[in-house]
Amino acid sequence: MAYCLTSAGRLARELWPTTFNSCRPKLPPVDKLAEWQVVPAEYDDICAWATVDKYENSLTSLRHGYVLLYSPDVSPVQNQPTPVLMRFHGVVEAMNISPIGNYNGRKEAAPRAIQYLTLGAGSYHDAFSAQLKAIENLQLFIASSLSCTVQTNVRNPGTIYFQRIVFAKARNATSTSPRSVLVFGDDPHGWALAVQRDWVVTHRIVTGIYNNEGVAVKKPYTVIRPGDFVEVAARLEIAKFRKTNRWVTEARFIIQEVLRLCDRTTIQEASNVVIASAASVPESTPSNNADVDMHDDPRT
């Protein structure tokens, strides 16, 4: 797992209020972490930290897919391409991480069905901006590596958007045909069942909470709600596809895991305090009798 580093040498996750992070797992000091565990804050350092290559297990399900890998000198696994798995923190703004995502039951919509989640800063922009800076540097690095313009799939500026394609293409009934991982209750409308001859769900996004000891405990996806403060683990994949009459290259964060650190009630209460504190600060108005220092006069 790799955590974003700030330009000041701190982990971005340390900048959030302690009330949000009281359940998070403890980590060694930054200088004690392995190199692969920290996303560098500077572009030059990312160039030595990561690489981009085709990857046969791409989750984009596109023929022209790439993935962000650890560079051979940094990778925790020797002589094997290892995808970078990053952890981000923020407040859930929008989401649909149910097992069949936003699939609406129409067969022709199955290939485009996705699970998604949008993270925002809430009232804590300093903590969040360090992650946005890391993403910006990664996109610049990918663009340089592939010699092309890399677009983002972010819906709202200043947020982080994660997604994952719901279905895999079913093959003819053979021993290698992908098997559905859906269980009772995952498909209440029977929509996935109706298209299982052509499309199957072969993955589950891991969801859960951190308990008071900082241990991740698996829970149903319904424990995650908009407004919660969460930790999202994701891979960065790059999709190259035709759009109208041109090729487009897009960087996509692919959800692997969503863990709740703090529920939305606590987040809302904390945000209200921040807003109230900002509103209570009186505006300073100069006195009519105040002496004027000529050195403060822009005309001198």
Side-chain angles (χ1 to χ4, degrees), residues 212-252:
N212 292 333
E213 286 72 46
V215 177
V217 179
K218 284 188 178 182
K219 297 285 184 179
Y221 72 92
T222 47
V223 301
I224 311 295
R225 298 181 294 173
D228 288 344
F229 180 69
V230 300
E231 179 180 271
V232 179
R235 283 165 46 171
L236 182 53
E237 297 199 354
I238 304 96
K240 189 174 182 180
F241 56 95
R242 294 283 296 183
K243 188 174 183 179
T244 60
N245 60 346
R246 62 191 178 92
W247 283 97
V248 173
T249 304
E250 187 176 271
R252 300 172 177 176

Side-chain angles (χ1 to χ4, degrees), residues 290-300:
D291 293 332
V292 177
D293 188 336
M294 292 300 293
H295 292 291
D296 292 333
D297 191 339
R299 296 172 296 179
T300 61

Side-chain angles (χ1 to χ4, degrees), residues 4 22 28 40 50-51 77-78 135 161 169 173 211 235 240 242 263 291:
C4 294
S22 59
T51 189
V77 182
Q78 294 296 316
I135 292 171
Y161 182 76
K169 182 68 174 175
N211 65 18
R235 283 165 46 171
K240 189 174 182 180
R242 294 283 296 183
D263 66 45
D291 293 332

Side-chain angles (χ1 to χ4, degrees), residues 151-230:
Q151 298 185 2
T152 176
N153 62 351
V154 171
R155 271 47 177 174
N156 298 313
T159 64
I160 306 175
Y161 182 76
F162 305 88
Q163 70 177 74
R164 189 160 180 174
I165 292 173
V166 170
F167 292 103
K169 182 68 174 175
R171 306 183 185 94
N172 294 330
T174 64
S175 59
T176 60
S177 181
R179 295 177 179 272
S180 173
V181 297
L182 297 182
V183 297
F184 183 76
D186 285 345
D187 182 27
H189 301 291
W191 291 341
L193 180 63
V195 296
Q196 65 179 347
R197 289 181 177 272
D198 300 295
W199 301 98
V200 291
V201 179
T202 60
H203 72 273
R204 299 188 72 88
I205 293 175
V206 176
T207 53
I209 63 173
Y210 280 113
N211 65 18
N212 292 333
E213 286 72 46
V215 177
V217 179
K218 284 188 178 182
K219 297 285 184 179
Y221 72 92
T222 47
V223 301
I224 311 295
R225 298 181 294 173
D228 288 344
F229 180 69
V230 300

